[in-house]
């Protein structure tokens, strides 16, 4: 069995959790590190994406990777690119703000799967919509998901956090605080209100969306929804941040 952990590098404890989970499945764990231009709709974001290859090798190896693979653009896209479509769910929420982002993600993941032919692949829950879409296209590779790893303040670990100042990181904790408070609410309406109220209190945070969705199909959650999740996205000083948590609202126990 071979487990692939696809990443864009700038590894942190969140990625290490994916690698450790992969090692529970197989002794052969390949970590790919490729900053995929196809999934960046914004040239500046691509250029500014943090890169730390030497540290990545150390962190991946420490977590149990048996191979750290840095493919070149030409390896992944040797000829004309056949782009995969993420369909309707790829163009809502994250996909609405980042047109063609998920087409780019699915295209590269599909290429990585074609090249490595893993039996399993591991992805984080932090990119919840991405995880959903990858699960949908993956016929031969078993997808394993790993819960989001957080810093002591609750902030979801992300490579982009490296671009936030200390004060901005403090402001960014409003996202996990709002999701945690909303998760305790008894109804979807009060959970939504809590999300909106708390996020609105942090001046440094510009909200893109804060919604509670049905995990089955990403529609807005209602009383019939079994599993509900709060999804939040926005910017601090132009840096995009996303997070999500399961919501208990309306849960019948
Ligand atoms: O989640 C990421 O880091 C990327 O979207 C992925 C899955 C490695 C594809 O480039």
């Amino acid at each position: 069995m071979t487990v692939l952990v696809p990443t864009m590098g700038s590894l942190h404890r969140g990625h290490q959790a994916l690698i450790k989970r992969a090692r529970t499945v197989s002794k052969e764990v390949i970590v790919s590190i490729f900053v995929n231009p196809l999934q960046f709709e914004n040239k500046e974001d691509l250029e500014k994406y943090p890169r730390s290859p030497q540290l990545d090798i150390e962190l991946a190896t420490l977590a149990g990777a048996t191979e750290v693979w840095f493919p070149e653009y030409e390896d992944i896209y040797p000829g004309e690119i056949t782009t995969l479509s993420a369909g309707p769910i790829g163009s809502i929420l994250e996909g609405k703000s980042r047109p063609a982002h998920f087409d780019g993600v699915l295209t590269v993941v599909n290429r990585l799967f074609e090249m490595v032919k893993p039996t399993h692949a591991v992805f984080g829950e932090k990119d919840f919509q991405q995880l959903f879409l990858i699960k949908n296209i993956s016929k031969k590779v078993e997808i394993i998901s790993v819960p989001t790893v957080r810093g002591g303040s609750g902030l979801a670990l992300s490579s982009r956090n490296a671009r936030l100042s200390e004060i901005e990181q403090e402001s960014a904790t409003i996202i996990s605080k709002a999701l945690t408070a909303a998760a305790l609410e008894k109804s979807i309406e009060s959970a939504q209100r809590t999300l909106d109220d708390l996020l609105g209190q942090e001046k440094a945070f510009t909200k893109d969306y804060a919604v509670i969705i049905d995990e089955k199909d990403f529609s807005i959650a209602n009383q019939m929804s079994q599993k509900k999740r709060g999804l939040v996205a926005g910017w601090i000083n132009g840096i995009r941040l996303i997070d999500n948590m399961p919501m208990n609202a309306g849960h019948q126990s």
Side-chain angles (χ1 to χ4, degrees):
M1 282 190 296
T2 303
V3 189
L4 176 67
V5 183
T7 80
M8 296 205 297
S10 189
L11 302 189
H12 48 66
R13 283 192 295 115
H15 296 106
Q16 287 189 302
L18 306 183
I19 299 167
K20 286 178 187 162
R21 178 69 179 89
R23 272 306 289 258
T24 66
V25 176
S26 169
K27 280 205 284 266
E28 201 187 337
V29 174
I30 302 177
V31 174
S32 63
I33 299 188
F34 177 65
V35 182
N36 173 35
L38 254 61
Q39 69 188 77
F40 287 82
E41 67 293 345
N42 176 332
K43 203 165 164 258
E44 194 191 339
D45 195 24
L46 172 62
E47 275 160 13
K48 289 195 172 159
Y49 198 83
R51 288 162 172 89
S52 52
Q54 277 316 314
L55 187 60
D56 287 349
I57 296 173
E58 277 172 45
L59 292 176
T61 311
L62 272 173
T66 42
E67 188 183 332
V68 186
W69 175 46
F70 292 85
E72 297 292 336
Y73 182 88
E74 291 72 25
D75 300 327
I76 303 283
Y77 303 120
E80 205 179 309
I81 303 170
T82 313
T83 312
L84 261 64
S85 165
I89 297 179
S91 56
I92 59 170
L93 302 168
E94 213 41 30
K96 188 169 179 199
S97 297
R98 307 186 63 189
H101 167 68
F102 288 121
D103 294 351
V105 170
L106 296 189
T107 302
V108 75
V109 168
N110 183 50
R111 279 295 295 140
L112 292 167
F113 286 2
E114 278 177 358
M115 293 172 81
V116 178
K117 298 193 175 38
T119 50
H120 300 72
V122 186
F123 296 88
E125 279 184 6
K126 173 158 178 296
D127 296 290
F128 201 73
Q129 198 173 352
Q130 162 176 289
L131 176 65
F132 178 91
L133 292 166
I134 291 172
K135 277 184 178 163
N136 267 1
I137 60 145
S138 180
K139 303 279 176 271
K140 292 187 196 138
V141 181
E142 190 173 323
I143 306 300
I144 300 170
S145 61
V146 172
T148 303
V149 177
R150 300 177 182 280
S153 61
L155 180 63
L157 295 192
S158 159
S159 304
R160 285 198 170 86
N161 293 354
R163 292 176 55 199
L164 297 171
S165 70
E166 223 169 286
I167 292 173
E168 288 164 352
Q169 292 206 13
E170 176 59 36
S171 302
T173 61
I174 193 62
I175 304 173
S176 57
K177 284 183 186 135
L179 282 164
T180 307
L184 299 171
E185 295 287 356
K186 298 230 164 17
S187 72
I188 297 170
E189 294 70 27
S190 51
Q192 182 67 58
R193 217 172 310 119
T194 297
L195 269 186
D196 293 337
D197 287 353
L198 289 180
L199 291 171
Q201 284 171 24
E202 177 52 67
K203 299 274 173 296
F205 180 71
T206 308
K207 184 173 77 178
D208 183 7
Y209 58 80
V211 289
I212 298 167
I213 55 111
D214 187 323
E215 290 191 18
K216 165 172 92 304
D217 57 6
F218 265 73
S219 59
I220 295 299
N222 61 42
Q223 300 313 320
M224 305 300 284
S225 304
Q226 294 282 316
K227 284 186 162 181
K228 297 171 272 295
R229 207 163 261 258
L231 307 179
V232 173
W235 299 268
I236 287 187
N237 192 17
I239 297 154
R240 189 166 181 84
L241 300 168
I242 61 171
D243 198 357
N244 67 82
M245 277 185 205
M247 294 286 119
N248 293 320
H251 180 71
Q252 314 286 323
S253 52

